[in-house]
Each structure stands twice: as structure tokens, then as C-alpha cells.
Amino acid sequence: NAGVTQTPKFRVLKTGQSMTLLCAQDMNHEYMYWYRQDPGMGLRLIHYSVGEGTTAKGEVPDGYNVSRLKKQNFLLGLESAAPSQTSVYFCASRASTDTQYFGPGTRLTVL
Amino acid sequence: RKEVEQDPGPFNVPEGATVAFNCTYSNSASQSFFWYRQDCRKEPKLLMSVYSSGNEDGRFTAQLNRASQYISLLIRDSKLSDSATYLCVVNRRGGATNKLIFGTGTLLAVQP
């Protein structure tokens, strides 16, 4: 039981490049979330999903897209990366309780 | 004003000391409350939930005051391994799911 995993762990992009971050969970959780964490800002919700095939916007969705084609996977896409998207990205999942379980994070730098 | 506010610290304390962190939240619709721990360059992990009656888990005690919209965490007999950032988190229900609102964290450094 690996819990929540994220790939890649690190990535450096140039402005304008695209990439996809993958989050996978093996706990059969319905709910999944993508956050970004920046110094002095706390974790902020980007997008979330309440089940397979559904997604919704969080607090800071601009510049990101998501997909939840399979229950266990939640993908975060950056179509045209900007330096303001340099951050640490965390994925989380939960079952019916309030407790969210986080993945190890992806450190993204956009030059 | 941030929805969840914490003193960023750092709190530098010697081993064995008792240290307390406070947190205030502004949205009275917040329904449940947590403390998460985050080690340097790692993911947040749930430390404990916070209940109105107060709850204790070993050396850790959490308290909630709904009237004052205030949450606290007390750590007794601090260990070196307690050094981390402690995140105050409130759960605001709305729409299709709950939303966790995170404070920016309080950094604790326990010194030998």
C-alpha cells in the first residue's frame, strides 16, 4: 500500500513549455486535490475532484487544467508554464472522513 | 486578512520545554479543525484533530474555542524530533466537498 504517490519529484521547465503532473492513490479514495505551496502563503487549493470523471476549480485554478479519467489518478496540467508557477505541488486524497493524505510533492521550477 | 492566521515563529526552545502555538480563523462556517505537521521539504501529515472538548495525544494537547475562533496546540516535554512546521488547518464545508484552509505554519526548532 503506497498511499499517495506523485511523479515527477522534480522538474525544471522553460517559460511556455507544458507538462503534466501525475498523482496516484491506491486507497480507493473518492476525493482528490491538487495544492501548491509557496513561502508565506500556505497551501492553496488549485483544483479538486469528488469522483471519477468530475473536476472542479479551487482557489487558484488559472493556468492549470486537471483530469480524473480513472478513480486512482488525478492529473494536473500546465499548458504554458510561467515563472509564477514555480512552486511545490502537493496532491492529496481522502475517503469519507475529513482527513486528507498527501503525496510527497513535486518541486517545479519555471525559468 | 488571511482566513487562518498563525505566528510564523520560529519558536526556539530547549529540549524538555513546553511550547504553545495559537491560531485564529475568521470564517465562522468552519466546521472541523486540525493540526498538521510538516517536516522540511516533506508533505504535511495529520498530527491531530481538534475538538471543542479539547483532546490529548501523548505530549500533545489541542484546544478549540469556537466563540473566540481560536485553536491552540500545546507540546509538553519537547523532543528534538518535534522540530518541524506546524500547520493550523480548518475545514470549511461548501459546494460538493469540504475545503481545507491552511495557515502558513509555525516553525518549531527544539535545541539540544
Side-chain angles (χ1 to χ4, degrees), chain B residues 45-103:
Chain B
K45 292 183 178 178
L46 179 67
L47 178 67
M48 59 197 304
S49 301
V50 188
Y51 305 113
S52 296
S53 55
N55 48 303
E56 187 174 310
D57 183 2
R59 297 180 294 108
F60 299 83
T61 301
Q63 294 275 357
L64 166 66
N65 183 322
R66 285 188 185 270
S68 301
Q69 296 183 192
Y70 167 94
I71 304 159
S72 66
L73 177 68
L74 182 76
I75 305 175
R76 290 181 298 278
D77 189 22
S78 299
K79 312 290 185 191
L80 294 175
S81 57
D82 293 333
S83 297
T85 297
Y86 290 83
L87 306 175
C88 176
V89 184
V90 305
N91 181 9
R92 174 161 46 84
R93 290 217 170 85
T97 185
N98 62 358
K99 293 195 175 73
L100 292 186
I101 311 298
F102 289 80

Side-chain angles (χ1 to χ4, degrees), chain A residues 10 31 33 35 37 40-43 45 48 50 90 94 98-100 102-104 107, chain B residues 2 32 34 36 38 41-44 46 87 91 93 96-100 102-104:
Chain A
F10 304 93
Y31 303 90
Y33 304 83
Y35 295 90
Q37 187 175 33
M41 298 291 290
L43 278 89
L45 182 63
Y48 63 96
V50 301
F90 287 103
R94 73 172 178 93
D98 290 337
T99 304
Q100 292 189 15
F102 286 82
R107 295 184 176 277
Chain B
K2 292 177 182 173
S32 49
F34 309 91
Y36 275 71
Q38 186 172 25
R41 303 177 77 83
K42 300 284 190 181
E43 72 272 24
L46 179 67
L87 306 175
N91 181 9
R93 290 217 170 85
T97 185
N98 62 358
K99 293 195 175 73
L100 292 186
F102 289 80
T104 53

Side-chain angles (χ1 to χ4, degrees), chain B residues 7-27:
Chain B
D7 180 345
F11 284 61
N12 295 301
V13 302
E15 271 188 289
T18 296
V19 61
F21 305 137
N22 302 319
C23 167
T24 57
Y25 62 96
S26 59
N27 192 329

